[in-house]
Amino acid sequence: MALKDYNEKRRFNETTEPEGKTKKSKDKLIFVIQRHAASRLHYDFRLEMDGVLKSWAVPKGPSLDPKDKRLAMMVEDHPYDYKDFEGNIPEGNYGAGQVEVWDSGTYEPLEETKLTHEKELLKELHSGSLKFILHGKKLKGEFALVKMKNTEDNAWLLIKHKDDFAESPYDAEENTSQKSLVTKFLEEKKSPKTKVKKKS
Ligand code: MN
């Protein structure tokens, strides 16, 4: 089963994360990027493929700067419904911390082939070089995910191609909402005893 690893790592009577079930978009393939304050802050980059979300943890976050080659560690497939997951994963659970959706949208393969979009993407995934176009709110245009050779099996690089949507320098943290609950969570973790006094 595609989501065996995902289900085995989680206790669904404790976490509000969705249970692992396969599902597909009716029309266009979707992507989501979640900002996740776990033992370390990272971004989770997820592409819908074959009824699941193929997932990579990106420690420094995605970039629109073609000069940045972001390390992206491939992790277990996540269920399609994870695209909407935001909230707290309780202490003692896998990935404990705070999660929020940082960007989302649809995506398509860069190459126009005779294959369906999904088949083309799966073929590229298995070959270790995936080229695609993101239609997000923050991330737009051409990107590549390239598997690193001579290194750990699950290490990939996320790279922005040069196009009209490229932007340098780029910092995902600076493109995060002021109202971010993940940022609030991180600040509270840093100074748990600090409480803002209300002016009366
Ligand atoms: Mn994560």
Side-chain angles (χ1 to χ4, degrees):
M1 199 184 98
L3 294 162
K4 192 171 172 273
D5 286 355
Y6 173 89
N7 283 330
E8 279 177 3
K9 285 172 193 275
R10 289 168 179 82
R11 293 191 294 269
F12 296 104
N13 54 347
E14 292 181 23
T15 180
T16 54
E17 291 165 287
E19 270 188 66
K21 288 179 191 124
T22 57
K23 200 166 159 184
K24 280 172 186 257
S25 289
K26 284 197 188 88
D27 185 17
K28 290 174 176 168
L29 296 166
I30 60 103
F31 82 94
V32 65
I33 299 165
Q34 275 141 328
R35 187 163 169 261
H36 184 187
S39 50
R40 281 184 179 202
L41 177 68
H42 63 275
Y43 288 68
D44 290 301
F45 189 88
R46 311 190 197 280
L47 299 172
E48 178 192 356
M49 237 181 272
D50 217 16
V52 298
L53 301 179
K54 295 288 168 189
S55 298
W56 290 262
V58 186
K60 288 186 177 173
S63 177
L64 283 175
D65 186 346
K67 288 197 291 288
D68 292 332
K69 290 178 173 59
R70 295 292 203 233
L71 179 67
M73 300 302 286
M74 200 175 198
V75 298
E76 79 276 16
D77 292 349
H78 278 51
Y80 178 83
D81 285 341
Y82 211 92
K83 69 183 178 56
D84 300 314
F85 178 71
E86 291 192 307
N88 191 267
I89 302 171
E91 283 290 324
N93 285 270
Y94 184 73
Q98 192 77 24
V99 178
E100 69 194 0
V101 172
W102 182 82
D103 196 19
S104 64
T106 61
Y107 86 107
E108 59 186 310
L110 181 61
E111 306 291 340
E112 278 294 335
T113 65
K114 284 177 184 166
L115 299 173
T116 63
H117 280 181
E118 199 157 37
K119 281 197 175 131
E120 172 59 26
L121 289 158
L122 278 164
K123 193 187 87 185
E124 293 185 21
L125 179 83
H126 291 128
S127 76
S129 172
L130 193 55
K131 296 190 179 84
F132 50 89
I133 303 167
L134 296 181
H135 306 284
K137 294 166 200 86
K138 292 172 182 164
L139 299 190
K140 296 176 202 286
E142 296 178 18
F143 286 80
L145 265 167
V146 184
K147 197 172 179 187
M148 290 172 79
K149 286 179 185 131
N150 310 319
T151 177
E152 283 175 81
D153 268 2
N154 54 350
W156 295 60
L157 293 172
L158 176 66
I159 304 160
K160 175 82 189 88
H161 285 171
K162 282 180 193 158
D163 62 14
D164 290 347
F165 301 106
E167 201 182 305
S168 45
Y170 187 88
D171 184 352
E173 285 295 288
E174 283 172 15
N175 288 278
T176 295
S177 163
Q178 301 265 306
K179 290 177 218 151
S180 162
L181 291 179
V182 167
T183 304
K184 202 177 152 213
F185 175 87
L186 287 168
E187 281 163 2
E188 279 168 6
K189 219 166 92 177
K190 247 189 260 166
S191 52
K193 280 167 196 161
T194 313
K195 276 180 189 159
V196 181
K197 279 179 191 166
K198 277 183 193 165
K199 280 175 192 167
S200 53

